[in-house]
Amino acid sequence: MSTIQTNAIVDAAGGNTATINGITPNAATVVGRNLIINGDMLVAQRGTTATGTGAGSSYSTVDRWRNQKSASPLARFTETQSADYDAPTGHSKSLKLQVTTANGTIPANSFQYIDQFVESQNLSHLKWDTASSGEPLILSFWVKCSTAQVFAIDFIAYSAASKYLTKNYTVNSANTWEKKTITIPADASNVIAVDNSRGIRLRWALTAGSDRTGSGGVDTTWQTSAALEFSGHVNTWADSVGGTWQLAGVQLEVGTVATEFEHRSYAEELAACQRYYEQTGAGAFAKANSSTEFWIGHKFSVTKRANPTASIIDPNSYVRVYEFGVADRNSDSTPTISAIIANVNGASTRVGTFSSISAGDTGMLGGKDGDSGASTFAFDAEL
């Protein structure tokens, strides 16, 4: 079992009821302060395990957390929603990467990272357009790595001219859960839009080439250039097969002192994730468009950030429609979506190729016998 290190927060008087950032740290009733969605890694709509990650840009397991790369050759990972998190902070899950293809020599212009975007209209209370009253942010998270080393974490604030900030954190002891806090200054020259676009991006570096990790040092103020965006990062943990890196309990909040992690219910976290990505399955209404295609209607559980794109989970699986008034079912073993009409509340997908149907036939989307994963549609409105 791994050991645990943490950074204690003590108020000036040494008591337990001090107010920090206007919040009493242990007050469970204070809600809405964490700008990160799914920071406790509870929701994983796409699945709990993915192999070969690090080869491209993908949301593979835990919702809202993307595995991204810039070039090749690079390391490859098995990514999991792990349940072996043993730090006594109330967290039951973590995002875990384990090296399956090692690479200790990262070429120039190459890097890999885990990131999350914060929607811009969730940031208007930062008041970054006012020099005197802009609010700083503080990021706190738990990390565990198989190697003790320095990591870079990079922030991007989106506006008319994007701004950049690089910080470092150190894993002091291998295979040990450690809590880290990073202060992010306000930027009075950066007016973040109040809309559904990207507001702030957080990037946890995994590997980075020498042209990204040089001696530029960490930033104390926001920069106009992304040069040396992962300055100070050390490439050690990914140079051997079996190396691991884990992330849990991520919180981004207004202030300069990290408060206790804001736990939200699974239902609340799932709904927040579904604004950006949702899967729907059996029960949707279907109507034949022709002798080969059905229009299938989908009502979303929550309003999407934007009109989504659609895909079918496991395209080699069946999409099956139970036709009303027809004794047999009608199925398509190699389904494709040929068209989509969508808004933020729902969508219709035109799916083919079916057989032995007539235009106007109606039915209900169902699943292939014995295959609960069939007939599942994914709707993506990620930032």
Side-chain angles (χ1 to χ4, degrees):
M1 180 178 292
S2 64
T3 57
I4 300 162
Q5 294 180 354
T6 184
N7 301 331
I9 299 176
V10 182
D11 66 88
N16 296 316
T17 59
T19 297
I20 301 174
N21 301 337
I23 299 169
T24 302
N26 292 320
T29 57
V30 178
V31 297
R33 65 187 184 275
N34 190 2
L35 294 168
I36 296 296
I37 294 175
N38 205 26
D40 48 2
M41 315 298 174
L42 286 178
V43 181
Q45 295 183 81
R46 296 169 177 85
T48 59
T49 302
T51 58
T53 62
S57 174
S58 64
Y59 290 91
S60 300
T61 58
V62 181
D63 275 58
R64 303 292 356 271
W65 295 97
R66 185 177 66 159
N67 196 318
Q68 174 79 316
K69 67 98 179 180
S70 67
S72 297
L74 293 170
R76 298 290 180 265
F77 314 102
T78 292
E79 179 179 321
T80 59
Q81 181 198 42
S82 175
D84 64 359
Y85 183 57
D86 54 358
T89 59
H91 299 289
S92 60
K93 299 289 191 299
S94 67
L95 173 62
K96 182 177 183 178
L97 300 179
Q98 184 164 19
V99 178
T100 54
T101 300
N103 192 344
T105 305
I106 309 301
N109 201 36
S110 297
F111 49 87
Q112 293 164 293
Y113 52 83
I114 295 291
D115 69 357
Q116 182 170 145
F117 296 95
V118 180
E119 192 171 337
S120 62
Q121 59 192 355
N122 295 336
L123 300 170
S124 59
H125 62 298
L126 299 185
K127 299 174 288 186
W128 280 13
D129 58 332
T130 55
S132 60
S133 59
E135 300 283 0
L137 292 168
I138 188 162
L139 173 70
S140 57
F141 57 93
W142 288 84
V143 64
K144 182 168 73 170
C145 184
S146 56
T147 302
Q149 66 171 79
V150 176
F151 285 86
I153 183 167
D154 177 67
F155 306 88
I156 304 174
Y158 295 91
S159 61
S162 296
K163 303 289 280 295
Y164 306 87
L165 185 79
T166 297
K167 297 287 187 179
N168 290 158
Y169 67 91
T170 301
V171 172
N172 298 295
S173 300
N175 300 311
T176 301
W177 279 106
E178 299 174 356
K179 188 174 183 180
K180 307 299 177 183
T181 59
I182 295 174
T183 301
I184 305 162
D187 182 6
S189 64
N190 198 347
V191 181
I192 297 175
V194 184
D195 57 23
N196 65 347
S197 64
R198 295 175 176 181
I200 291 179
R201 182 185 194 180
L202 300 85
R203 304 193 295 178
W204 280 259
L206 302 172
T207 66
S210 59
D211 62 329
R212 306 284 175 170
T213 64
S215 57
V218 297
D219 297 320
T220 56
T221 59
W222 288 87
Q223 307 296 310
T224 57
S225 171
L228 300 178
E229 56 201 323
F230 295 133
S231 179
H233 183 82
V234 177
N235 293 308
T236 303
W237 80 280
D239 64 2
S240 60
V241 172
T244 58
W245 180 86
Q246 288 175 260
L247 182 68
V250 183
Q251 180 152 292
L252 180 67
E253 59 188 309
V254 172
T256 57
V257 179
T259 66
E260 183 182 357
F261 184 83
E262 179 189 352
H263 288 278
R264 295 188 281 257
S265 71
Y266 180 85
E268 290 173 312
E269 211 71 83
L270 174 62
C273 291
Q274 287 177 328
R275 175 169 172 77
Y276 304 91
Y277 178 85
E278 179 177 350
Q279 294 181 1
T280 67
F285 178 77
K287 183 174 182 178
N289 177 65
S290 65
S291 61
T292 60
E293 294 181 321
F294 275 103
W295 277 105
I296 301 174
H298 312 266
K299 180 175 174 56
F300 301 145
S301 299
V302 301
T303 300
K304 296 289 168 283
R305 178 192 66 85
N307 294 347
T309 60
S311 61
I312 299 172
I313 304 298
D314 185 4
N316 295 317
S317 180
Y318 279 78
V319 165
R320 178 156 290 183
V321 173
Y322 293 80
E323 291 185 75
F324 300 142
V326 177
D328 199 4
R329 296 160 294 187
N330 203 303
S331 60
D332 177 2
S333 59
T334 56
T336 59
I337 296 175
S338 58
I340 176 175
I341 300 173
N343 60 32
V344 296
N345 296 308
S348 291
T349 52
R350 192 171 71 195
V351 180
T353 304
F354 294 85
S355 61
S356 303
I357 60 175
S358 300
D361 285 358
T362 58
M364 182 179 69
L365 181 65
K368 179 185 175 184
D369 292 345
D371 183 0
S372 61
S375 302
T376 299
F377 289 72
F379 295 92
D380 190 330
E382 294 282 2
L383 282 160

